[in-house]
Amino acid sequence: MRLPALGAAAALLLALVPVAVPAQPSVRDAATAPSVHAGAVRVEAVTARHGMVASQEAEASRIGAAVLAQGGNAVDAAVATAFALAVTLPRAGNLGGGGFLVLHRAGGEAVTIDFREAAPAAATADMFLDAEGRADPQASRFSARAIGVPGSVAGLALAHARHGSGRLSLADLIAPAIRLARDGVPVQDDLLDSLLLGAPRLARWPSSARIFLGGDGRPPAAGARLVQVDLADTLAAIAAGGPAAFYEGLVAERIVAAVRAAGGVLARDDLARYRAVERPALRGTYQGHDLVVMPPPSSGGVHLVQMLNILEGYDLAALGAGSPAALHLAIEAMKRAYADRAVFLGDPDTVDVPLARLLAKDYAAMLRAGIDPARATPAAAIRPDSPALGAGGPDTTHLSVVDRDGNAVALTTSLNFNWGVGLVAEGTGVLLNNTLDDFSAKPGAPNAFGLIGGAANAPGPGKRPLSSMTPTIVLKDGRPVLVTGAPGGSRIISAVLQVVLGRLDFGLSPADAVAAPRVHHQWRPDEVLVEPTLPDATVRALAAMGHPVRVGPVSGSAHTIAATPDGLVGVADGRSRGAGAAGH
């Protein structure tokens, strides 16, 4: 008998159950392989020769793999998978949010697409302050003022138009999502978990409750089917008319009406003016590999490269995977990068981000010189000029794709919180984000993930808030060897860092690199958050080094593809139930 889990709470309980640990995942030429366990986190490793998709929901991954089998490229598969996730993973997959796409094209070209949500033209620097000038978390997290202009439809359409194979139309790629929305998807795994936990947020809005909750205000039982007819109609309109069908006309009118009726400031012109932006990829190097990452308004790419630059000065392999000494050095690198994030990062279209300095190897060497290999550096000693409080939470979703030609896509999207603000625009099926909480409501005031920011990330008309999303592609000799990313709010960057270290420094199998227990430090609050699977002896050793340690829930779900001598290995991270990888 299968018992349903309850999201993070259930994941925490499951993480404490001991399981057998095979040393390596099984490797097959077929598109499926047995699940494996490493530590106490369950992951699924799938091996294939000609292409791979790994995402947070298995049916969406299968749809992406089918696109590869039809002759589509990695971009086609990523677009189809992302539209499917809007149906099968509604808490994070979305039409009403935004995200980032990193593309490596076989032959060496690398580009990124920024489809982060934007603030409405009516946004002001003080829009999330109360009458006394204090940051008002209720306004920035739970009110319609937190809703930014959605970017997902524009970003996915731009990716397809500029970088798709040309063999499949946008309508072809959306068709599976339309079918899923009309026919319904089974309420199980992550969908069941997230409906149980998200019911109070959805119940606030009648338009949302009608779709996701029954007449008694309760989510559907396990095994029921979730049908989303309005969402199917919106997807069909986009398939027929392209992104204009979302940003203009009836769908746009209904979105604006819903937001304004709820007290938000979104206007028709905000939607009509929105554009996804193609930006040059950021690049870095580490241990003989090339890194292709997202530039601002993602902070993830900048600080992943920065942390790896710091850690390149150590022989981590000699210290051992998961050793207190190696984890200590990673934690110290995290602190310094997150401290810089609080001061320097923002929307590159409105602030001057000192990228060259932050990414410089000599700057990393200077930061490295301040690290004591045996003792924790207090946060206040790194940058003492900003207050701190903090909390964390899950959000977002990530997918990775590699095709037979060596094209690779890392794509991360988000509504910010699970279910965003919880509001479905009546008649559209579109769940709307609460992404504007990622702005700094006031210098020094933490957002929902405890991240501190300043004037560089203040709200303003048309600005895109800073994000921790970290879609990442690692190359060796010009070919992708690792494609990864994760959800998890402020913990995204540290999760991706540890997957990269697991493969490049410690030589872990793809499954073990994803499943290994993770640690996180974001400078403020001054504490190390560790997963419950981290051995007690390691926790005690970190505490003895001076790290304040707190055991928290599992962190993110890093759906990853790695190139191995046996083929492409797709790893679906079991930190989210129902994740899947599918190969071609």
Side-chain angles (χ1 to χ4, degrees):
M1 179 177 66
R2 182 177 66 84
L3 298 176
L6 294 176
L12 181 57
L13 289 173
L14 291 173
L16 299 175
V17 179
V19 296
V21 185
Q24 281 284 121
S26 297
V27 176
R28 297 183 179 180
D29 292 338
T32 60
S35 297
V36 299
H37 297 73
V41 174
R42 182 179 183 275
V43 299
E44 179 187 56
V46 174
T47 302
R49 295 290 183 185
H50 301 307
M52 181 66 66
V53 180
S55 84
Q56 205 154 328
E57 200 282 318
E59 179 61 21
S61 294
R62 287 191 286 269
I63 286 169
V67 167
L68 294 177
Q70 294 168 44
N73 66 9
V75 171
D76 295 329
V79 169
T81 304
F83 274 114
L85 287 168
V87 181
T88 64
L89 192 80
R91 69 171 176 87
N94 65 79
L95 302 186
F100 301 128
L101 182 151
V102 176
L103 167 64
H104 163 76
R105 295 181 66 94
E109 179 191 9
V111 297
T112 73
I113 295 178
D114 167 9
F115 54 100
R116 180 72 161 155
E117 303 93 321
T124 61
D126 61 357
M127 66 186 296
F128 297 127
L129 303 182
D130 63 18
E132 285 73 42
R134 297 171 300 196
D136 181 358
Q138 289 296 315
S140 65
R141 300 172 194 177
F142 304 112
S143 81
R145 278 184 283 164
I147 299 171
V149 184
S152 290
V153 173
L156 296 175
L158 180 65
H160 171 261
R162 292 193 181 177
H163 303 290
S165 66
R167 296 185 179 96
L168 297 164
S169 69
L170 185 63
D172 293 330
L173 303 179
I174 298 175
I178 297 172
R179 173 182 54 79
L180 289 171
R182 288 205 193 283
D183 295 347
V185 295
V187 176
Q188 61 188 16
D189 298 328
D190 186 279
L191 180 56
L192 175 63
D193 296 346
S194 61
L195 282 168
L196 291 168
L197 291 172
R201 182 169 301 157
L202 297 167
R204 293 177 58 210
W205 313 99
S207 57
S208 306
R210 276 194 291 275
I211 298 170
F212 296 108
L213 307 177
D216 58 0
R218 295 181 180 179
R225 296 193 76 80
L226 174 64
V227 176
Q228 301 173 75
V229 175
D230 289 342
L231 180 59
D233 290 343
T234 297
L235 288 164
I238 298 166
F246 183 87
Y247 291 96
E248 303 170 21
L250 183 60
V251 173
E253 181 180 313
R254 287 173 169 170
I255 289 173
V256 170
V259 173
R260 297 187 79 86
V265 297
L266 189 69
R268 286 289 298 274
D269 284 349
D270 294 319
L271 284 163
R273 284 196 297 260
Y274 183 87
R275 297 291 184 273
V277 181
E278 192 166 283
R279 302 185 188 276
L282 281 186
R283 290 183 175 268
T285 61
Y286 184 69
Q287 304 287 30
H289 293 76
D290 296 307
L291 307 166
V292 182
V293 295
M294 190 73 204
S298 165
S299 64
V302 175
H303 296 307
L304 176 66
V305 173
Q306 183 182 15
M307 290 186 293
L308 289 171
N309 284 346
I310 294 170
L311 294 171
E312 198 168 33
Y314 301 105
D315 187 356
L316 296 182
L319 299 176
S323 68
L327 291 175
H328 165 72
L329 295 175
I331 290 164
E332 292 299 304
M334 291 174 197
K335 289 181 191 176
R336 286 153 177 82
Y338 278 90
D340 280 352
R341 183 192 192 278
V343 176
F344 299 118
L345 271 289
D347 184 342
D349 294 335
T350 59
V351 298
D352 184 15
V353 180
L355 287 178
R357 182 59 175 159
L358 292 172
L359 299 175
K361 298 282 189 180
D362 62 344
Y363 179 57
M366 184 185 77
L367 295 176
R368 189 187 311 121
I371 295 175
D372 183 338
R375 193 71 189 166
T377 306
I382 294 171
R383 192 178 297 280
D385 56 353
S386 187
L389 291 169
D395 72 332
T396 312
T397 188
H398 176 81
L399 64 95
S400 299
V401 185
V402 178
D403 66 25
R404 68 167 67 219
D405 296 320
N407 300 301
V409 171
L411 172 61
T412 312
T413 67
S414 183
L415 288 167
N416 194 32
F417 283 12
N418 289 329
W419 305 101
V421 78
L423 172 63
V424 170
E426 185 71 67
T428 69
V430 176
L431 273 157
L432 296 168
N433 64 83
N434 63 341
T435 296
L436 301 192
D437 180 64
D438 279 345
F439 283 122
S440 300
K442 183 178 182 178
N447 71 3
F449 299 100
L451 289 169
I452 304 296
N457 191 37
K463 287 184 65 175
R464 302 186 184 207
L466 196 59
S467 170
S468 295
M469 290 184 281
T470 315
T472 298
I473 299 172
V474 181
L475 308 173
K476 180 68 173 178
D477 299 326
R479 295 190 62 82
V481 295
L482 188 68
V483 183
T484 192
S490 59
R491 292 174 286 169
I492 294 173
I493 311 172
S494 58
V496 173
L497 171 71
Q498 289 164 91
V499 172
V500 172
L501 294 177
R503 285 294 287 161
L504 302 192
D505 282 279
F506 302 118
L508 299 180
S509 72
D512 287 349
V514 170
R518 296 177 192 149
V519 301
H520 171 75
H521 200 304
Q522 61 187 50
W523 174 61
R524 299 287 193 168
D526 192 359
E527 66 177 14
V528 180
L529 186 66
V530 304
E531 290 188 324
T533 52
L534 194 71
D536 289 343
T538 305
V539 173
R540 290 193 296 270
L542 291 174
M545 292 179 175
H547 293 288
V549 180
R550 177 167 68 88
V551 179
V554 293
S555 177
S557 46
H559 311 297
T560 299
I561 299 172
T564 76
D566 299 293
L568 296 170
V569 175
V571 181
D573 190 339
R575 290 171 175 84
S576 291
R577 294 205 309 145
H584 163 60

